[in-house]
């Protein structure tokens, strides 16, 4: 698989609050080597998958995976009346997926998540075939305003409380609500995380 990152030479095209990796996010913290932390996070993700209800599992730490960089032509976008944030949102929506609504049934609420079919998400050329809307309401093919480059993924590692931290994220299917997902993750962490590695809730799981 490939990671897709969107680069803006000025602001990295991030909104004020950043973006989520999934409906459910937790952090694994510990002063381990990157390789050991990668191994621990893989084991934790495998246990979440085996539990059931967790789908689209992903993690922030990537060791040497290929990467696609989507680099906007800011001058061209400005000339066509395209907000750089619209480019970022379009790629995130169609490739990474975004919650676009809520479905209610029998007293339950389910997020509606939109993104491309898997065969299109795995095709780098699909990015160029996406369309983005201008400020005047017209649409422009992405190939006119972005450049897609292949590169090597960076270490997706951060530090929290002076410890290395990797984010593990997932979406939840209809069989698992957020509260139960949090309790399941806590129980799994007790079983599979080695001494010195702790679980920290983040995103909606922290609310």
């Amino acid at each position: 698989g490939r990671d897709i990152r969107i680069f803006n030479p000025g602001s990295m095209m991030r909104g004020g609050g950043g973006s989520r990796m999934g409906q459910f996010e937790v952090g694994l913290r510990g002063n381990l080597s990157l390789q050991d932390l990668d191994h621990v996070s893989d084991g934790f993700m495998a246990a979440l998958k085996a539990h059931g209800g967790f789908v689209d599992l992903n993690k922030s730490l990537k060791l040497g995976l290929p990467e696609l960089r989507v680099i906007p032509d800011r001058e061209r976008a400005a000339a066509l009346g395209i907000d750089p944030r619209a480019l970022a949102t379009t790629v995130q929506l169609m490739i990474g997926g975004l919650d676009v609504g809520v479905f209610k049934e029998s007293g339950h609420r389910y997020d509606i998540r939109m993104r491309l079919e898997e065969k299109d998400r795995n095709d780098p050329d699909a990015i160029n075939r996406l369309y983005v809307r201008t400020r005047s309401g017209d649409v422009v093919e992405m190939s006119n305003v972005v450049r897609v480059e292949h590169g090597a993924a960076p270490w997706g590692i951060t530090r929290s409380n002076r410890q290395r931290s990797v984010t593990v994220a997932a979406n939840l299917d209809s069989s698992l609500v957020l509260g139960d997902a949090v309790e399941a993750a806590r129980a799994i962490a007790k079983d599979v995380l080695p001494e010195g590695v702790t679980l920290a809730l983040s995103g909606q799981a922290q609310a």
Side-chain angles (χ1 to χ4, degrees):
R2 291 181 175 87
D3 270 359
I4 297 175
R5 304 181 73 210
I6 307 165
F7 286 80
N8 183 319
S11 65
M12 298 298 289
M13 295 175 64
R14 280 193 177 182
S19 60
R20 292 188 291 123
M21 293 173 59
Q23 296 168 306
F24 172 85
E25 293 183 7
V26 294
L28 303 182
R29 298 175 181 173
N31 285 324
L32 305 180
S33 69
L34 291 174
Q35 290 75 16
D36 287 344
L37 193 55
D38 186 54
H39 179 72
V40 167
S41 59
D42 281 345
F44 182 73
M45 289 170 61
L48 291 179
K49 183 177 181 179
H51 177 276
F54 297 93
V55 297
D56 302 325
L57 282 153
N58 196 13
K59 61 181 178 180
S60 61
L61 177 59
K62 308 293 182 183
L63 301 184
L65 287 179
E67 173 184 78
L68 291 178
R69 298 173 181 173
V70 182
I71 304 173
D73 183 333
R74 299 177 67 189
E75 292 185 2
R76 176 70 171 161
L80 293 172
I82 299 171
D83 189 326
R85 289 174 296 183
L87 297 175
T89 300
T90 299
V91 175
Q92 173 64 26
L93 173 64
M94 295 304 180
I95 305 298
L98 286 175
D99 293 339
V100 296
V102 175
F103 173 72
K104 299 178 181 179
E105 183 180 41
S106 302
H108 296 284
R109 293 166 54 94
Y110 304 96
D111 289 332
I112 300 173
R113 194 169 184 83
M114 176 183 288
R115 63 177 179 177
L116 291 174
E117 294 286 345
E118 185 175 3
K119 63 181 179 62
D120 294 316
R121 298 199 306 270
N122 291 333
D123 178 10
D125 291 336
I127 296 173
N128 285 322
R129 296 194 296 268
L130 297 175
Y131 285 86
V132 62
R133 192 169 296 279
T134 68
R135 293 186 179 91
S136 63
D138 296 327
V139 292
V140 175
E141 194 170 61
M142 291 282 281
S143 61
N144 293 304
V145 288
V146 302
R147 183 175 76 257
V148 179
E149 293 184 351
H150 295 259
W155 306 117
I157 195 73
T158 59
R159 286 190 174 271
S160 180
N161 296 330
R162 300 184 179 180
Q163 293 182 311
R164 284 174 170 160
S165 177
V166 56
T167 299
V168 172
N171 291 317
L172 306 177
D173 68 19
S174 59
S175 70
L176 191 63
V177 298
L178 184 60
D180 292 341
V182 170
E183 292 306 311
R186 284 172 168 158
I188 289 170
K190 291 180 180 179
D191 288 338
V192 305
L193 296 185
E195 184 177 355
V197 178
T198 59
L199 179 76
L201 303 180
S202 61
Q204 290 188 42
Q206 192 178 28

